[in-house]
Structure formats: C-alpha cells, structure tokens
Amino acid sequence: MKLLVAVDGSQEAEAALAYATDIADATAGSITLAYAVDPNVYEVRGSEPVTDLSDADRRLVLEGVENAESRGLNVLDEASDFAAELGRDVETKLLHGDPVVEIADHAEEAGFDAIVVGHRGRSEHEDRLLGSVAKELVERATVPVTVVR
C-alpha cells in the first residue's frame, strides 16, 4: 500500500504518521511525507480561541516563499526523524500551494492508495471560520483519507 501522510509539525500529524507506519508495516507498504508550502499566510495561534473574522485576520501573518520553504523542509526533516525512530524509511515531498489542493492532487497524480492526516480538533466555531484541512481533504481527495485524532 502506497501511503501519503500530510504533516505540519503538529502532534496530530505525528499521530497520523505513527498510524500510517502501522498500516505500512502490515501491508508491506511505503510512506511519503508531504508538506504543502503556502507562502501567502499562516495562522499564529493566540492563547484565546478565535472569536470572529476580524480576530482571525489579526492572527494571520504574511510570509515569503523562502521562509515558508525553509519551515516546510524543517517539518519534513523532523517527521522523517520520527519515522526513523519508529523504524521506518520514508520519502518526502515539498509541495507548493494550498495544502488541501496540493495534497489531494498529488495523491491522485502520483498513484497513492490513501492519504493519512491528523486532525487538530479545533472547535466547530474555529472550523467554520478557518476551515479544517482534514475535512476539506476528505471532501476533495479521490483516494481514501484516514483522519487520525
């Protein structure tokens, strides 16, 4: 089984990778880690929940391509190191663009059997304001998506 694991440096992504490792071990499969560089914006989490769109706007930070790529490569390196700790060799793929679009499209184009992604468990209110990559991947992808909490 050929698995694409979306990573973002979160504990939930780490849990998704651990789950994917179990599947790959059971099926003699392979794992590719994917990180999508979206240099336009990223969310800076405050200590309080996002309450409205203006609050969400204040928490968005513009970022250049070079910095975004560097951050993405660091996330992939850390996830690769974690996979090695689990006894697994993985490949990595740095994608460019909206994570939902790029991960779903890459999975289809590269012939992956499934996508595994972590879910951060944000509140329903936050998901409505900011969206959920996991939820949107389930809706967009043409291959099965496993969401790990």
Side-chain angles (χ1 to χ4, degrees):
M1 178 171 262
K2 189 174 174 183
L3 301 170
L4 182 63
V5 180
V7 296
D8 63 3
S10 68
Q11 290 179 344
E12 293 80 8
E14 196 171 271
L17 176 53
Y19 183 81
T21 299
D22 291 342
I23 294 171
D25 288 346
T27 62
S30 65
I31 296 175
T32 298
L33 306 175
Y35 181 90
V37 173
D38 189 357
N40 297 321
V41 295
Y42 68 95
E43 178 187 358
V44 175
R45 304 283 299 177
S47 60
E48 298 296 319
V50 174
T51 56
D52 57 34
L53 289 176
S54 66
D55 186 26
D57 285 341
R58 284 191 298 273
R59 293 188 190 193
L60 296 178
V61 176
L62 297 178
E63 179 179 43
V65 174
E66 186 175 299
N67 288 341
E69 286 178 344
S70 177
R71 184 170 42 86
L73 291 171
N74 286 338
V75 168
L76 288 170
D77 287 345
E78 289 175 9
S80 292
D81 291 346
F82 180 64
E85 290 174 19
L86 297 174
R88 200 75 170 128
D89 289 327
V90 296
E91 294 184 18
T92 61
K93 183 69 175 176
L94 187 65
L95 304 169
H96 292 79
D98 178 270
V100 172
V101 173
E102 295 304 318
I103 291 167
D105 289 354
H106 182 67
E108 181 178 8
E109 292 164 6
F112 284 91
D113 297 306
I115 300 169
V116 181
V117 62
H119 184 273
R120 288 197 175 170
R122 292 196 269 208
S123 71
E124 185 179 329
H125 182 68
E126 285 179 296
D127 277 352
R128 280 195 310 260
L129 288 173
L130 302 170
S132 164
V133 171
K135 179 181 178 224
E136 291 179 35
L137 266 174
V138 169
E139 293 171 358
R140 182 179 178 91
T142 59
V143 301
V145 178
T146 299
V147 179
V148 178
R149 279 196 111 161

